[in-house]
Amino acid sequence: MIKTVGIVGLGLIGGSMAKAVRQYTDCTLLGCDADGAVLSRALDEGVLSAALTPDRLAECDLVIIALYPQATTDYVTAHRDRFRRGGAVMDCGGVKGVVCTPLADVVKDAGFWFVGGHPMAGVERSGYGHSFPELFQGASLILTPYPGTPRKCLDGIWELARRLGFGHLQLSTPEEHDRIIAYTSQLAHVVSCAYVGSPSAPNFAGFSAGSFKDMTRVAKLNEQMWTELFLENREALVREIDTLVEELAAFAYTIRRGDRENLLGMLRRARQIKESIDKDC
């Protein structure tokens, strides 16, 4: 059973994790952040029980690392010998291959279990100031454990995650995760950014409704984080972009020709696919 949790990085995800642990569990909570003002705020607000220093990592049954992918691998590598033996370390990054692959050798025989994780939750704002404990209500938690990771370890993480509000556990591999997430998450952000890049974007006042808001919402992003995520999953993401460009070109060709019959068929196909997808949501 997880009794002491450490959180490294108190941005939107890490901060929300911390606030959810504080609100929904009785765990002892240690945390740290590179920004001293953020750490002080979390301590002053009573979110953290105490600061997480390297010498206190061994106290944590679970350490949640909510940093960018490269910073995650650097942190785990630097503190390999400080994590609790028999404990677990989980990251929260949006790509898994660039984290799980290089860390496989680092954590081998280190005495703790590293589990790749991706909380499928977020809002179009970033930073501790926008974090809130309800962020994960009903969300999916994707875990990409190494082969041989004991079920007891995964069950412990999931038991805590359920208390934080997560509604679904999805086990995957880093490769499968990155391939699918390129479509379900990263492509949506690319499309939203490209959409607002139109010269028509500044002239929407009085002409927009829900569809405009839906299409533009995730363009309000953290460009530093998403640049890293896009580039570290570039092959899978570019394949999805190329596929979308082909689909858009087909629509442009059909509309330009005034081909009513084929356009009707394309729209019908899209509606049917969406209805099928909704059944699984």
Side-chain angles (χ1 to χ4, degrees):
M1 183 176 181
I2 294 174
K3 296 182 178 180
T4 301
V5 177
I7 298 182
V8 181
L10 298 172
L12 175 67
I13 297 298
S16 295
M17 283 277 189
K19 292 176 181 178
V21 169
R22 173 58 62 229
Q23 180 160 315
Y24 301 121
T25 81
D26 58 357
C27 293
T28 299
L29 178 61
L30 310 177
C32 62
D33 193 272
D35 187 332
V38 169
L39 176 59
S40 295
R41 180 176 174 182
L43 289 167
D44 292 343
E45 292 176 349
V47 173
L48 302 178
S49 306
L52 176 62
T53 55
D55 61 310
R56 301 195 69 174
L57 286 169
E59 300 176 25
C60 302
D61 301 302
L62 171 66
V63 176
I64 299 172
I65 303 179
L67 303 174
Y68 293 177
Q70 186 57 54
T72 296
T73 59
D74 292 344
Y75 187 90
V76 175
T77 300
H79 299 290
R80 175 185 184 274
D81 298 325
R82 295 179 179 270
F83 296 110
R84 182 172 186 168
R85 297 191 65 83
V89 177
M90 180 186 78
D91 84 306
C92 295
V95 287
K96 299 270 67 79
V98 296
V99 173
C100 295
T101 299
L103 284 181
D105 289 335
V106 173
V107 304
K108 185 179 181 180
D109 301 322
F112 66 90
W113 303 102
F114 178 83
V115 180
H118 186 182
M120 295 302 294
V123 294
E124 62 274 18
R125 297 178 298 276
S126 61
Y128 180 81
H130 295 294
S131 64
F132 58 100
E134 299 84 11
L135 178 63
F136 309 108
Q137 294 299 313
S140 175
L141 175 63
I142 304 173
L143 297 181
T144 60
Y146 295 123
T149 303
R151 187 72 203 193
K152 181 179 179 180
C153 173
L154 302 180
D155 288 344
I157 293 173
W158 177 234
E159 191 277 332
L160 176 67
R162 283 194 304 107
R163 286 193 281 165
L164 302 188
F166 286 93
H168 177 72
L169 173 65
Q170 180 67 51
L171 296 179
S172 183
T173 64
E175 296 77 17
E176 179 187 52
H177 169 278
D178 290 354
R179 176 177 56 80
I180 297 176
I181 217 70
Y183 173 71
T184 61
S185 176
Q186 294 179 346
L187 181 64
H189 286 77
V190 170
V191 170
S192 188
C193 291
Y195 185 70
V196 298
S198 168
S200 300
N203 304 313
F204 74 92
F207 293 85
S208 64
S211 56
F212 181 81
K213 293 179 180 178
D214 290 343
M215 281 290 293
T216 59
R217 182 180 66 82
V218 294
K220 190 177 180 181
L221 45 66
N222 178 337
E223 62 269 18
Q224 295 291 335
M225 180 184 75
W226 284 100
T227 294
E228 183 168 342
L229 294 176
F230 288 168
L231 294 181
E232 289 180 337
N233 199 29
R234 67 185 72 181
E235 292 185 8
L237 179 54
V238 167
R239 282 196 298 270
E240 294 296 342
I241 294 173
D242 288 344
T243 298
L244 177 62
V245 169
E246 292 175 4
E247 289 286 330
L248 290 172
F251 269 100
Y253 177 76
T254 303
I255 293 170
R256 185 178 295 115
R257 293 181 60 204
D259 189 340
R260 178 180 296 271
E261 182 176 351
N262 278 330
L263 180 58
L264 185 66
M266 294 168 71
L267 295 175
R268 180 185 300 111
R269 170 178 172 269
R271 173 180 57 78
Q272 292 171 341
I273 291 174
K274 172 58 176 170
E275 290 174 348
S276 175
I277 291 172
D278 285 347
K279 292 177 183 179
D280 298 325
C281 291

